[in-house]
Structures are given as C-alpha cells and as structure tokens.
Amino acid sequence: GSPLIARRLIRPIDRIVAAELNKTDCAELGALFARDRRVKVKLMDGYHSLKAHLPPKERRGLVLIDSSFDRAGEFERVSDALATAQRRFATGICALWYPLMDAVSMQGFERHMIATGVRKILQCELAVRDVTIAGKVRGCGMLVVNPPFGFDVIAATILAYLKPLLAEKNEGFERVRWLVPE
C-alpha cells in the first residue's frame, strides 16, 4: 500500500520512516524494505512517531498520515495528529488520507479540522458511489497542508479523470477545495 507507493516515488537522496503498530504488519514491512537503507520501519504508534521524528533533519519533506479508521473517535485523533505534525514541521507538507463516511461524521471532521487553527488546508475527495454500502466506503479523501503551488489544479485534473473510470453507474463526485485558506 502506501509505503510501497512512497518508496517508488522517492529520489535517491530521500528517506522514509514508516511507523506501524501491528507487529505482524511491521515485520512484513521490515522484511520488504530490509535491503533499502533509505527506509526505516518502526514498531510504534504513528501518532507517537510524529512527535519522535518531527521535524526531520532535512527541514523539508512530506508527512503522510494513513490511519486505519478502525476505532471510534478516529477523525478527531487524525485531526489532532495533523495539527501536531504541522506545528512541529510548519515548513513541511502534511497529507492525511481518510474514508468518506456518513454526512454527520464528515461535517464533524471538517469542523474539528478547522478548529485546530491549521491554515492552508486543501481538501481533495473522490466518491465512487452516492451512498455507503454495508462493508464498503463510498470513496476517500485527502487533506493536504501546505501543498505545492498549483497542486490544487493538478489534483482537480486527476480526480476528474479518475471519477468516470472508478465510479459505479456514474454515481459519486470529485471535489477539490480549500477547506481552510492561507
């Protein structure tokens, strides 16, 4: 998933620190990247990892928060984590992946995120169906703090391309908007 994609995209001078709390998954990730000195896999809670590894010595980079959303209150936890990451690493880009849930949950998430005081948050969402079907989410989103210049236009183009390819029966939507401007 995310660690493999990130590994394929890094440059020779870049590095990755991946935090995984599940021992089995951590061992698998560690084995997968065992020969790559640029990738370190840590058995630890990703939320604690933000405090332990930010800011990076390079003073630039991307923080990707890809939570499992398998616990109650996860939207508040990831909002707070994103705010913590941005405070500790104000010059970095922080991205937070999330599933699209019911409208009440999503509105609460957005309100909580806005209340953190973090500025310059771009919201990108892609829904492939109009409603959530039991056992399936209807789509996903990503909040990006401090996106590179022009990223909003690129993201809108990518989502407009993906929506007809992935949507069921022409349902769903794509959206790119500034949740919180600069």
Side-chain angles (χ1 to χ4, degrees):
S2 300
L4 275 176
I5 293 168
R7 170 55 189 88
R8 287 188 181 126
L9 296 174
I10 66 171
R11 302 167 303 171
I13 61 169
D14 295 333
R15 65 188 180 93
I16 294 174
V17 177
E20 177 57 58
L21 190 56
N22 180 289
K23 289 180 182 180
T24 303
D25 293 344
C26 186
E28 288 177 12
L29 272 176
L32 185 64
F33 297 119
R35 293 184 175 176
D36 192 334
R37 291 183 181 164
R38 296 174 300 162
V39 181
K40 300 289 183 226
V41 179
K42 306 281 188 172
L43 178 62
M44 68 185 309
D45 186 311
Y47 297 115
H48 296 161
S49 181
L50 294 172
K51 293 178 182 174
H53 296 288
L54 292 180
K57 62 183 176 186
E58 298 88 354
R59 296 288 184 195
R60 52 183 230 112
L62 168 70
V63 173
L64 172 62
I65 301 171
D66 183 1
S67 185
S68 63
F69 286 88
D70 58 356
R71 296 179 273 187
E74 198 66 15
F75 278 115
E76 285 187 19
R77 285 185 58 154
V78 295
S79 297
D80 294 342
L82 185 63
T84 296
Q86 198 279 326
R87 279 193 302 274
R88 295 181 67 85
F89 186 32
T91 58
I93 299 167
C94 297
L96 165 63
W97 177 91
Y98 59 91
L100 294 179
M101 305 289 210
D102 62 277
V104 173
S105 296
M106 299 315 303
Q107 290 164 357
F109 170 52
E110 290 174 4
R111 279 193 307 274
H112 190 79
M113 195 65 241
I114 292 166
T116 65
V118 174
R119 313 301 310 154
K120 202 173 177 186
I121 303 174
L122 184 67
Q123 183 179 42
C124 307
E125 294 182 336
L126 177 63
V128 297
R129 62 183 66 87
D130 288 336
V131 295
T132 300
I133 298 170
K136 294 183 179 181
V137 285
R138 64 187 182 123
C140 64
M142 183 165 279
L143 297 182
V144 184
V145 177
N146 293 330
F149 178 77
F151 182 77
D152 53 341
V153 175
I154 293 168
T157 302
I158 291 169
L159 293 180
Y161 174 79
L162 289 175
K163 194 234 176 217
L165 293 174
L166 301 174
E168 296 178 357
K169 303 174 196 159
N170 203 26
E171 293 181 351
F173 65 88
E174 81 272 358
R175 173 171 65 180
V176 175
R177 69 177 180 141
W178 289 98
L179 182 64
V180 181
E182 197 164 346

